[in-house]
Amino acid sequence: MISHSFPHRRISFFALVCITTGIFATHASITEAMVVRGGEVYEVAADTTLEGDLYYLGETFSLKGTSTDDLFALGSIIDIPGNVGGDVFALGGKVTMEGAAVTGDARIGGGVLTVASSTFGEDLMAIGGTVIIKRGTVIKGDLLVYGQHLVLEGEVLGNVEAHVNTIEITGTVGHDTNITARESVSIIEKAHLQGALFYSAPRAAFVPDSVTIDGETSFELTQEHTSRANRMSVGSSVLKVLMSIIAALILVCLFSSFSFRTATDTLEGSGLLALKGLVLFAAWPMLGLVLLLTILGALPGLVLLCMYGALVLVAIAMMPVVTGMVLARWLKKQNTVSWDWTMLGAISLFLLGFLAQIGFFVRLILFFTTFGALTLNLLTYLRQSSRSRPLHTDEVSPIPLVSPAT
């Protein structure tokens, strides 16, 4: 059976990778063993080999050639049919890996994730709406999936762990299979599970005689959500929306100029603003903790941590304001911040949460972008204030070294 620490280790590692990606993408000049690319469309041709890590942030990315080290890609459409000598970290609306050869781990996320005729030297982690692993794919390590629907036709030499709504397995699993399904589990004919099968679902899976399961099979029956649970969920959601609206309206009504400037800077910032926000979000508390461990820096470290907490809360409260300005620009061609657009923005953010992983990623990017705009504005203000410090009236004028002529 797969260790319970498996998903937690993977999630922590994925978060660490995202932070590392932001740090290096923002400060690409720190090393020569790195290639940073941006723009709407970028393609690595089939006869091209890029030395070092490859970072991409834009709309459409395609790797048909070879990247000798790690690949980090963030965009709307990510296509990886080429070779990667290290790990892959890809996040997009649609991620496709057909004919890819990855030496290390792969961490991919998005709305539709398709893997076909690809090989992975180590583990594969996928977070998405629909995850399809087609026949001809070989994963030499473990497979971990969080999503709505999983189709597994390929071969996994290690363990499989899936937390999904529905799952269909027709391929081969070398070790144990652990499934948590909110709706159904289907083990389709000719599937071969060489280890044990542990799964929980509202109903037992139908297993044809042509399916081979070498280990034991354990089934845990889970109940459908009760009406009481649904009512509690609705009440909690309504409370979250109300708290979001109240916090945003406080900013709009009491600090209108500040809210307008922050929302404008967030929307007019470059694509790297989200990555800068991610870097600042990760680096700020680390700096504060480091200062706390020193005797002379304990007080500054505490101040930094308090400022960090305040910025996080303000960034969360600003998200409906920014969303409201987006809607005002889109629907009315107005560049404005007002209480009605802010309420509409808060409701829109709430509805965005129903888009499963896509909604989560959109809100996460919005948070990092807003946090980046807030933090950069604060740092700019502090720098300008220190430069324009007025001369105190009690300061003594310098005494001339030469007496005036008599």
Side-chain angles (χ1 to χ4, degrees), residues 97-226:
M97 302 182 70
E98 185 170 356
V102 181
T103 302
D105 296 320
R107 304 288 181 265
I108 58 177
V112 178
L113 311 177
T114 304
V115 180
S117 302
S118 300
T119 58
F120 300 88
E122 298 182 21
D123 302 336
L124 170 62
M125 175 182 178
I127 303 177
T130 299
V131 181
I132 303 175
I133 301 176
K134 295 185 177 181
R135 196 172 302 279
T137 298
V138 178
I139 303 171
K140 296 182 180 180
D142 298 330
L143 171 65
L144 174 63
V145 176
Y146 285 85
Q148 299 295 316
H149 180 58
L150 169 62
V151 177
L152 176 56
E153 301 175 352
E155 180 180 5
V156 181
L157 301 185
N159 300 310
V160 170
E161 181 148 0
H163 301 263
V164 293
N165 285 356
T166 60
I167 180 173
E168 300 177 9
I169 300 179
T170 61
T172 302
V173 180
H175 290 283
D176 295 339
T177 302
N178 194 339
I179 301 171
T180 301
R182 290 176 287 274
E183 294 180 12
S184 63
V185 176
S186 300
I187 312 295
I188 303 175
E189 57 184 44
K190 295 185 179 180
H192 187 186
L193 308 184
Q194 299 176 4
L197 171 62
F198 305 93
Y199 72 100
S200 59
R203 60 189 67 87
F206 173 73
V207 182
D209 294 335
S210 59
V211 172
T212 302
I213 302 177
D214 297 339
E216 64 173 309
T217 299
S218 176
F219 168 55
E220 179 183 355
L221 180 65
T222 58
Q223 300 295 326
E224 301 282 354
H225 291 294
T226 63

Side-chain angles (χ1 to χ4, degrees), residues 48-318:
T48 301
T49 298
L50 297 179
E51 299 290 339
D53 298 336
L54 173 60
Y55 298 85
Y56 173 79
L57 173 64
E59 294 292 330
T60 302
F61 171 80
S62 178
L63 174 67
K64 297 181 180 179
T66 300
S67 176
T68 60
D69 290 294
D70 295 339
L71 168 63
F72 303 80
L74 176 63
S76 298
I77 299 177
I78 307 295
D79 183 26
I80 308 175
N83 304 320
V84 180
D87 299 333
V88 171
F89 311 95
L91 177 62
K94 180 180 180 181
V95 179
T96 303
M97 302 182 70
E98 185 170 356
V102 181
T103 302
D105 296 320
R107 304 288 181 265
I108 58 177
V112 178
L113 311 177
T114 304
V115 180
S117 302
S118 300
T119 58
F120 300 88
E122 298 182 21
D123 302 336
L124 170 62
M125 175 182 178
I127 303 177
T130 299
V131 181
I132 303 175
I133 301 176
K134 295 185 177 181
R135 196 172 302 279
T137 298
V138 178
I139 303 171
K140 296 182 180 180
D142 298 330
L143 171 65
L144 174 63
V145 176
Y146 285 85
Q148 299 295 316
H149 180 58
L150 169 62
V151 177
L152 176 56
E153 301 175 352
E155 180 180 5
V156 181
L157 301 185
N159 300 310
V160 170
E161 181 148 0
H163 301 263
V164 293
N165 285 356
T166 60
I167 180 173
E168 300 177 9
I169 300 179
T170 61
T172 302
V173 180
H175 290 283
D176 295 339
T177 302
N178 194 339
I179 301 171
T180 301
R182 290 176 287 274
E183 294 180 12
S184 63
V185 176
S186 300
I187 312 295
I188 303 175
E189 57 184 44
K190 295 185 179 180
H192 187 186
L193 308 184
Q194 299 176 4
L197 171 62
F198 305 93
Y199 72 100
S200 59
R203 60 189 67 87
F206 173 73
V207 182
D209 294 335
S210 59
V211 172
T212 302
I213 302 177
D214 297 339
E216 64 173 309
T217 299
S218 176
F219 168 55
E220 179 183 355
L221 180 65
T222 58
Q223 300 295 326
E224 301 282 354
H225 291 294
T226 63
S227 57
R228 179 181 178 183
N230 290 334
R231 288 195 299 269
M232 292 179 62
S233 177
V234 171
S236 176
S237 300
V238 172
L239 181 60
K240 289 179 181 179
V241 174
L242 290 176
M243 292 178 62
S244 175
I245 291 176
I246 292 173
L249 288 179
I250 290 175
L251 288 177
V252 171
C253 296
L254 299 183
F255 308 97
S256 57
S257 299
F258 165 80
S259 301
F260 179 81
R261 178 182 176 183
T262 303
T264 303
D265 291 343
T266 301
L267 296 181
E268 295 181 355
S270 63
L272 289 177
L273 183 58
L275 291 177
K276 292 180 180 179
L278 189 148
V279 174
L280 293 169
F281 179 80
W284 194 304
M286 294 175 60
L287 177 61
L289 291 175
V290 169
L291 291 176
L292 278 176
L293 297 178
T294 64
I295 298 177
L296 297 178
L299 182 58
L302 183 61
V303 172
L304 279 178
L305 291 177
C306 292
M307 292 176 61
Y308 173 78
L311 283 172
V312 169
L313 293 177
V314 174
I316 294 174
M318 276 296 305

